[in-house]
Amino acid sequence: MPDPTPPAERPLNFIEQIIEADNAAKKWGTRPDGTPRVHTRFPPEPNGYLHIGHAKSICLNYGLAARYGGRFNLRFDDTNPAKEEQEYVDAIKADVRWLTSAFGEGHSFDAGPHAGGLYWASDYFQQMYDYAVALIKAGKAYVCELNAEEVAKRRGSPSVPATSPFRDRPAEESLRLFDEMRAGKHPDGSMTLRARIDLASPNFNLRDPVLYRILHEEHHNTGRKWCIYPMYDWAHGIEDSLENVTHSICTLEFENHRPLYDWFMREISAALGGARGEGEGTGPSSPGGRAVWHSQQIEFAKFRPTYTVLSKRNLLKMVQDKLVSGWDDPRMPTISGLRRRGYTPRALRAVCEEVGTTKVESFIDLGRIENAVRDHLNKIAPRAMGVLRPLKVVIENWPKGTVEELDFVINPEDPGAGTRKVPFSGTLYIEREDFMEVPAKKYFRLALGDNPPEVRLRWAYFIRATGVVKDADGNVTEVRATYDPATRGGDAPDGRKVKGTIHWVSAEHARQVEVRLFDRMFSAEQPGERTGNWIDDLNPNSLETVRAMVEPIVATAKAGDVYQFERLGYFTADRDSAPGAPVFNRTVTLKDTWAKAAAKE
RNA sequence: AGGGGAUUGGUGUAACGGUAGCACGACUGACUCUGACUCAGUUAGUCUAGGUUCGAAUCCUAGAUCCCCUGCCA
């Protein structure tokens, strides 16, 4: 299903403006069919689960490829074997597959529209090594035998340059040592390969950054083949280059790295005998004569929702400390958590599109994300009746033993969805909050009071309360009521109106199911902002489990099925569901202006 | 301190020297067999101070505030 708002109907964001200017100039060349090349990528490190911030990046990158008839790569930036795991690789693949249509079924990652393919940084290790050797030969890199502590000590300050006694080591010596590093002749941390750039730069990224460190670790892809691993800055631009990525989109904190990104591309090209070239541009076939493809890095501001923590470290802690049931706990801001909760890819794409793409660091109201899923589910979710906190209603004048089948509109937003039959009898469950012994002002539901109002049971009959039964503590355990047989179906032949319509379930036919109700995970807009510790703002009531009464058809739901329980919200069957015994996650409530007004009192 | 970014209603964004607009929220009201949805209306903004200009959110000068940078993480 196509997304609702075609991107063409809104102004271009700053990245689209760059791309359109590039396309007009044919900066990146054209495809065989004449389309200007646009090639983006999503480059996660497989060291954690993807969250909604990553979803923004995926939607941005994939959306750009789709909009401009380009290609989109999924690339694992697996350059640090100490932190990366297969579990994360699998989860990330599933998430990207779910969120985009870039990839085909099964194991195919290059079959969908605009799919560029699946790539691994680790597949480029040899090429990266060769480039490093070229840089050493060109006098642009050297082996440094300072350990991490010494490097930190010699880092200098903005006004004091860094130092390294190994900086002017002859290239032959660096070459030999680099080869020994690769051959495993030196222990972890004993030496590094560093670029020779500028030890006095106010941009610390340029103070002879490390290209390679020694890490005797098993890599999930390359096993024991390598014991030196490239650092992010060295690796990333090469990855983009080898994949002929045009626009390498990343987040704001990498702005300071861009000079380094460009330096690497220029110097690799020069070391290989090509033109150095200034700034980003195209590759070997271009008039400039660069020896390597030079992508353009562009930075944008992260997607940060309120009432949420997003850092991998904190999410990992929530999992490890069992604050949640796992990475895909429906309260988690992970893509897998949102999916399990019942969010749809389209809703996520819609909200990413709505908030736009800029360089301004801002917070997105969590409510916006909730609205996006309401919008989508409203159109597609079949309606059903379920009662979260049941209160029994006995209709005194109902003919004993009679059961009727009433017509229920499946989705008023979708007339084609039709109707189905719902059983009705003289004993029902209604929502506890849909009855008041003494009605509040403007309360339109079932009530006693001086003048008990008539209310409609959705698609059924008008009823009026006549009394209550209470337990020893004075709690209402049952409401007595009478119905008007002439109002069958929910309309009065004499045209009289009611103020309230409430949902119900026939007690005799009701099925009990588990329903998990979620509230926001944190009670502060910015967890930890006030106290300094995000854990302090954890909402202790973020999960409530109830036994709900639902109409029979709901009990047949399978994992992933979604219903709107009328007047309550959208509920998606969890993977914990068993045949005939579904477990529902409340994806999101419906808007409730009465609850809002009542809360103000 | 040095470097790199950012600043427009409550929130998110547009306007690229020429009427400060859109979306979300909030508030009113209409509609309604979901207090939902939908529809209509209202609300409210250019960080500050100077300057250039017929005209400044936009250009200039000075300042303020916030974010990022001294990992062999990405």
Side-chain angles (χ1 to χ4, degrees):
Chain A
M1 194 186 305
D3 285 358
T5 310
E9 292 183 10
R10 52 141 179 85
L12 301 181
N13 64 47
F14 79 103
I15 297 179
E16 291 160 346
Q17 290 178 20
I18 290 170
I19 291 177
E20 297 209 353
D22 289 350
N23 287 352
K26 296 211 166 44
K27 173 172 171 180
W28 305 100
T30 55
R31 299 189 182 285
D33 67 359
T35 324
R37 292 193 69 259
V38 173
H39 205 137
T40 58
R41 102 267 94 115
F42 175 64
E45 182 189 16
N47 70 343
Y49 276 61
L50 262 26
H51 55 62
I52 188 161
H54 297 111
K56 166 77 200 186
S57 176
I58 294 166
C59 292
L60 211 211
N61 279 291
Y62 181 68
L64 255 13
R67 180 186 178 111
Y68 294 107
R71 296 286 180 274
F72 165 80
N73 294 355
L74 171 59
R75 179 175 71 225
F76 285 99
D77 205 3
D78 54 347
T79 56
N80 186 351
K83 294 188 171 183
E84 296 153 9
E85 289 176 25
Q86 186 63 38
E87 178 196 352
Y88 298 134
V89 169
D90 296 338
I92 290 168
K93 280 186 187 174
D95 289 345
V96 176
R97 193 186 287 283
W98 178 73
L99 203 52
T100 73
S101 48
F103 305 118
E105 291 305 312
H107 294 291
S108 162
F109 271 84
D110 50 17
H114 311 292
L118 172 65
Y119 300 88
W120 304 86
S122 50
D123 284 343
Y124 309 139
F125 282 171
Q126 183 61 47
Q127 182 66 263
M128 291 173 186
Y129 180 88
D130 293 342
Y131 284 163
V133 167
L135 234 51
I136 296 171
K137 286 179 178 165
K140 298 291 185 181
Y142 60 97
V143 171
C144 177
E145 291 173 59
L146 257 21
N147 64 33
E149 198 185 326
E150 291 165 331
V151 170
K153 211 181 303 174
R154 290 163 169 269
R155 182 81 52 194
S157 72
S159 54
V160 179
T163 59
S164 167
F166 303 101
R167 188 160 210 260
D168 295 316
R169 159 133 66 198
E172 303 73 46
E173 200 177 311
S174 283
L175 244 20
R176 179 175 56 78
L177 288 169
F178 188 45
D179 191 55
E180 289 179 11
M181 282 169 63
R182 178 190 190 170
K185 291 187 181 164
H186 300 282
D188 286 7
S190 58
M191 51 182 73
T192 58
L193 183 72
R194 298 175 69 177
R196 179 188 277 108
I197 307 179
D198 179 4
L199 288 175
S201 174
N203 181 349
F204 277 60
N205 295 124
L206 263 21
R207 312 255 270 216
D208 287 12
V210 171
L211 271 54
Y212 276 94
R213 77 283 216 185
I214 301 172
L215 239 37
H216 291 270
E217 291 265 359
E218 171 116 11
H219 187 281
H220 72 105
N221 241 10
T222 58
R224 290 274 171 193
K225 186 174 177 200
W226 295 86
C227 62
I228 57 171
Y229 290 93
M231 298 287 291
Y232 168 85
D233 287 304
W234 174 244
H236 206 88
I238 297 175
E239 296 159 21
D240 290 333
S241 177
L242 296 174
E243 292 170 21
N244 286 8
V245 163
T246 57
H247 305 271
S248 175
I249 297 168
C250 60
T251 47
L252 250 27
E253 69 267 28
F254 291 102
E255 243 169 342
N256 290 333
H257 296 240
R258 182 161 17 101
L260 181 54
Y261 185 108
D262 291 333
W263 188 91
F264 281 141
M265 288 302 120
R266 287 197 303 269
E267 296 305 329
I268 290 170
S269 179
L272 264 36
R276 185 175 271 105
E278 290 304 315
E280 71 292 333
T282 53
S285 61
S286 72
R290 284 188 177 82
V292 292
W293 181 274
H294 185 161
S295 315
Q296 178 179 10
Q297 176 178 307
I298 301 171
E299 310 85 15
F300 75 102
K302 283 179 169 146
F303 184 104
R304 290 185 304 174
T306 52
Y307 300 100
T308 307
V309 303
L310 242 37
S311 88
K312 279 181 185 173
R313 213 176 114 256
N314 294 351
L315 294 179
L316 181 63
K317 185 173 170 59
M318 286 164 71
V319 172
Q320 285 176 339
D321 293 0
K322 307 252 192 272
L323 268 25
V324 291
S325 64
W327 284 101
D328 69 344
D329 186 299
R331 291 167 295 174
M332 289 285 270
T334 51
I335 296 177
S336 52
L338 292 164
R339 176 169 62 233
R340 186 173 173 191
R341 179 151 170 172
Y343 276 71
T344 60
R346 177 161 138 181
L348 259 22
R349 277 185 241 124
V351 74
C352 288
E353 176 66 29
E354 281 164 19
V355 303
T357 302
T358 67
K359 298 186 73 154
V360 184
E361 293 178 301
S362 52
F363 282 96
I364 307 299
D365 280 336
L366 188 60
R368 272 189 100 115
I369 305 170
E370 295 170 346
N371 279 340
V373 75
R374 280 190 191 105
D375 268 2
H376 187 206
L377 262 19
N378 177 45
K379 294 188 180 68
I380 61 170
R383 312 288 127 122
M385 290 198 284
V387 175
L388 260 21
R389 294 178 175 86
L391 174 61
K392 187 187 279 187
V393 174
V394 174
I395 299 174
E396 295 170 318
N397 59 337
W398 184 259
K400 282 223 163 5
T402 307
V403 173
E404 289 191 357
E405 298 267 293
L406 299 170
D407 290 317
F408 180 96
V409 174
I410 293 173
N411 185 352
E413 301 286 319
D414 176 13
T419 62
R420 60 187 171 76
K421 299 288 186 186
V422 178
F424 184 90
S425 66
T427 305
L428 313 165
Y429 292 116
I430 66 166
E431 209 66 55
R432 207 155 254 287
E433 63 179 32
D434 285 342
F435 172 76
M436 286 183 93
E437 242 186 306
V438 183
K441 220 185 294 174
K442 295 267 188 77
Y443 186 82
F444 300 151
R445 308 172 187 179
L446 198 62
L448 247 17
D450 300 334
N451 188 16
E454 206 172 25
V455 302
R456 176 189 294 112
L457 295 174
R458 179 83 156 150
W459 304 121
Y461 290 96
F462 288 7
I463 62 169
R464 192 189 305 274
T466 57
V468 293
V469 177
K470 293 185 179 179
D471 65 13
D473 299 327
N475 301 311
V476 175
T477 55
E478 184 179 313
V479 178
R480 313 290 294 189
T482 56
Y483 85 113
D484 177 358
T487 57
R488 188 176 197 275
D491 280 309
D494 63 6
R496 72 183 193 276
K497 300 289 185 192
V498 294
K499 280 240 165 117
T501 299
I502 62 176
H503 59 278
W504 53 273
V505 176
S506 167
E508 179 190 336
H509 306 90
R511 305 291 158 79
Q512 208 174 59
V513 297
E514 179 176 331
V515 174
R516 297 168 183 169
L517 307 174
F518 307 110
D519 195 356
R520 42 192 54 160
M521 192 82 218
F522 294 91
S523 47
E525 274 199 29
Q526 299 173 46
E529 194 203 28
R530 189 177 53 84
T531 65
N533 184 2
W534 57 279
I535 295 274
D536 294 341
D537 288 319
L538 210 61
N539 175 6
N541 305 313
S542 60
L543 170 63
E544 181 188 5
T545 302
V546 298
R547 306 287 306 178
M549 292 295 186
V550 298
E551 49 166 311
I553 194 172
V554 173
T556 66
K558 302 181 302 296
D561 287 354
V562 58
Y563 282 102
Q564 182 197 101
F565 292 176
E566 291 219 346
R567 305 209 304 133
L568 296 176
Y570 299 95
F571 295 77
T572 304
D574 190 82
R575 61 170 163 77
D576 286 347
S577 299
V583 173
F584 283 95
N585 296 322
R586 183 168 66 191
T587 307
V588 66
T589 61
L590 254 33
K591 278 193 200 156
D592 188 346
T593 55
W594 165 250
K596 195 193 280 183
K600 272 187 194 163
E601 288 300 310

